[in-house]
Amino acid sequence: MISRILVTGGAGFLGSHLCERLVDEGHDVICLDNFFTSQKSNVSHLLKRPNFELLRHDITLPIFLEVDQIYNLACPAAPGHYQFNPIKTMKTSVVGIINMLGIAKRCGARLLQASTSEVYGDPDVHPQPESYRGNVNPIGPRACYDEGKRAAETLCMDYVRSNNVDARLVRIFNTYGPRMHPYDGRVVSNFIRQAINNEPITIFGDGSQTRSFCYRDDLVEAIIRMMNVPQGFPGPVNIGNQGEFTIRELAELVLEQVGGDSKLIEKPLPMDDPTRRRPDISLAKEKLGWEPQTSLRDGLAQTIEWFRSIDLGDYRPPTPNFA
Ligand code: NAD
Ligand code: UDP
């Protein structure tokens, strides 16, 4: 069945791939974005499609639209981006979800909120199941993102309980792939860009901290499945790859795949940087019949190929003048 679908943050890394998939499936897609961390080139190829519409709008401001489904992805996701204006980040998560839940309530639309593994903070349970309540520093530099996403989860569940809104929560673990902002400061983009340019690869700390890296196609498949399960399972559900790598292992793998003669250098570890992270995806397997299909090696190869194909000069570093 064809649906009218709103994708907030639809011009971003994940949002643009989601829009592409939904447009290809024939849905009427409204992509809403304020272009804080993205550029129109991510979706310009969709503008000629009759079932795609692009709106420049900020979700902290009310908007009236009539849709059947809302994927709420609008929020800066990389630490350098979300710490650029932390108050705005918190507003985007909290005021933004209130505006989107308002549309969902008025239209009877289904809403999927892109939450994050950051709700677990620096976890003392490993791997992290959805039942783990987390270890977030509420006053640290990452809190604007972590606590904003936690508050958004709370608001979704309160609308589910008190207004019977059909909201769903996915907790996304580190995801990478083509169209991630080359200057977003995240580890995969930094390492690939640095290796391609024969620049030093910057390992923060001693590189023993771990992350689990999910390829974008696996992620998009999971969130579409979560949007389309029958009402009654709001989640939250973890979406991520169970393979766990130290940051040093990632650097070595990127260097091996890119080639070149970059050196690995150590830089100070940012405050509150989680020491380890790996999703328990038992619930996603059970409820969505989903598990990742793409190995880190294969996903990196595709991401490296994309980085080689773009002109880095077309992308601005993460210092946009947004308030
Ligand atoms: P991204 O920065 O590429 O995309 C976010 C998009 O939201 C951008 O296009 C940005 O311009 C837009 N945006 C930001 N603030 C906005 C506002 N106030 N109004 C309208 N648009 C706004 O990041 P991404 O990696 O594609 O992340 C998408 C979503 O997934 C985010 O909500 C993020 O928190 C979540 N997530 C991503 C990851 C990951 O590893 N990529 C992990 C966990 C959660
Ligand atoms: N990191 C790193 N070098 C970089 C960028 C990041 O060593 O150039 C580390 C960072 O300190 C963290 C991990 O890589 O331990 C993942 O960082 P990223 O910003 O990609 O995501 P997050 O910390 O939100 O998981």
Side-chain angles (χ1 to χ4, degrees):
M1 202 182 72
I2 302 302
S3 299
R4 296 164 302 171
I5 304 181
L6 171 63
V7 181
T8 77
F13 159 48
L14 295 176
S16 62
H17 291 293
L18 178 63
C19 285
E20 199 169 280
R21 169 95 183 253
L22 296 172
V23 167
D24 284 345
E25 287 176 1
H27 300 291
D28 279 322
V29 177
I30 301 174
C31 167
L32 180 159
D33 208 295
N34 70 351
F35 301 105
F36 173 39
T37 58
S38 55
Q39 38 274 307
K40 271 185 264 177
S41 59
N42 282 348
V43 287
S44 51
H45 61 294
L46 295 174
L47 289 171
K48 57 184 180 301
R49 306 284 290 268
N51 54 337
F52 179 80
E53 190 179 342
L54 179 59
L55 280 184
R56 180 185 282 267
H57 181 77
D58 190 309
I59 58 159
T60 61
L61 301 169
I63 186 164
F64 288 83
L65 295 166
E66 281 66 46
V67 290
D68 306 306
Q69 298 185 346
I70 303 166
Y71 288 87
N72 188 40
L73 272 59
C75 186
H81 286 168
Y82 67 66
Q83 290 167 14
F84 178 78
N85 184 341
I87 297 164
K88 179 62 193 278
T89 298
M90 182 68 106
K91 280 188 190 169
T92 293
S93 280
V94 178
V95 182
I97 192 69
I98 290 173
N99 286 330
M100 293 307 118
L101 284 164
I103 298 179
K105 185 178 169 188
R106 182 173 52 82
C107 300
R110 212 172 250 191
L111 179 147
L112 180 141
Q113 164 65 3
S115 191
T116 168
S117 54
E118 283 285 318
V119 300
Y120 302 124
D122 188 5
D124 38 30
V125 169
H126 192 73
Q128 295 82 54
E130 291 83 353
S131 55
Y132 175 52
R133 292 181 188 179
N135 178 34
V136 171
N137 174 3
I139 56 169
R142 299 173 83 99
C144 59
Y145 182 71
D146 303 7
E147 297 290 12
K149 290 283 189 181
R150 286 172 70 96
E153 287 199 5
T154 306
L155 282 157
C156 286
M157 293 312 295
D158 284 334
Y159 270 73
V160 168
R161 282 187 290 258
S162 36
N163 289 299
N164 199 31
V165 166
D166 186 359
R168 291 123 195 263
L169 304 171
V170 289
R171 291 182 178 156
I172 302 172
F173 285 64
N174 298 60
T175 303
Y176 68 99
R179 284 196 212 134
M180 57 191 314
H181 194 299
Y183 291 102
D184 67 7
R186 283 189 266 197
V187 69
V188 173
S189 26
N190 268 6
F191 286 3
I192 294 178
R193 201 190 67 246
Q194 290 161 344
I196 286 176
N197 291 337
N198 279 314
E199 291 165 1
I201 294 185
T202 53
I203 293 180
F204 297 168
D206 64 5
S208 62
Q209 71 272 34
T210 67
R211 293 293 186 274
S212 302
F213 299 99
C214 185
Y215 189 60
R216 55 111 208 255
D217 292 352
D218 288 328
L219 184 283
V220 168
E221 175 65 28
I223 62 176
I224 289 177
R225 286 190 191 205
M226 182 60 178
M227 178 62 104
N228 290 292
V229 291
Q231 187 169 7
F233 175 59
V237 61
N238 287 338
I239 305 297
N241 194 304
Q242 287 171 299
E244 183 179 358
F245 296 84
T246 68
I247 293 305
R248 188 169 289 277
E249 284 170 337
L250 178 73
E252 285 161 357
L253 193 54
V254 168
L255 195 51
E256 178 198 315
Q257 290 193 233
V258 173
D261 51 14
S262 294
K263 304 272 172 291
L264 307 188
I265 59 164
E266 290 187 12
K267 294 260 191 172
L269 189 67
M271 184 182 170
D272 291 342
D273 199 279
T275 47
R276 56 191 181 162
R277 190 184 283 156
R278 173 156 68 100
D280 178 334
I281 58 165
S282 316
L283 197 61
K285 285 183 185 166
E286 181 199 328
K287 298 285 190 182
L288 310 180
W290 173 88
E291 61 183 309
Q293 305 295 318
T294 314
S295 68
L296 181 58
R297 200 171 269 281
D298 289 349
L300 280 178
Q302 296 185 55
T303 311
I304 291 166
E305 192 183 323
W306 178 78
F307 268 78
R308 287 196 195 282
S309 75
I310 58 169
D311 182 347
L312 287 172
D314 291 342
Y315 294 82
R316 34 188 172 79
T319 53
N321 186 22
F322 270 73

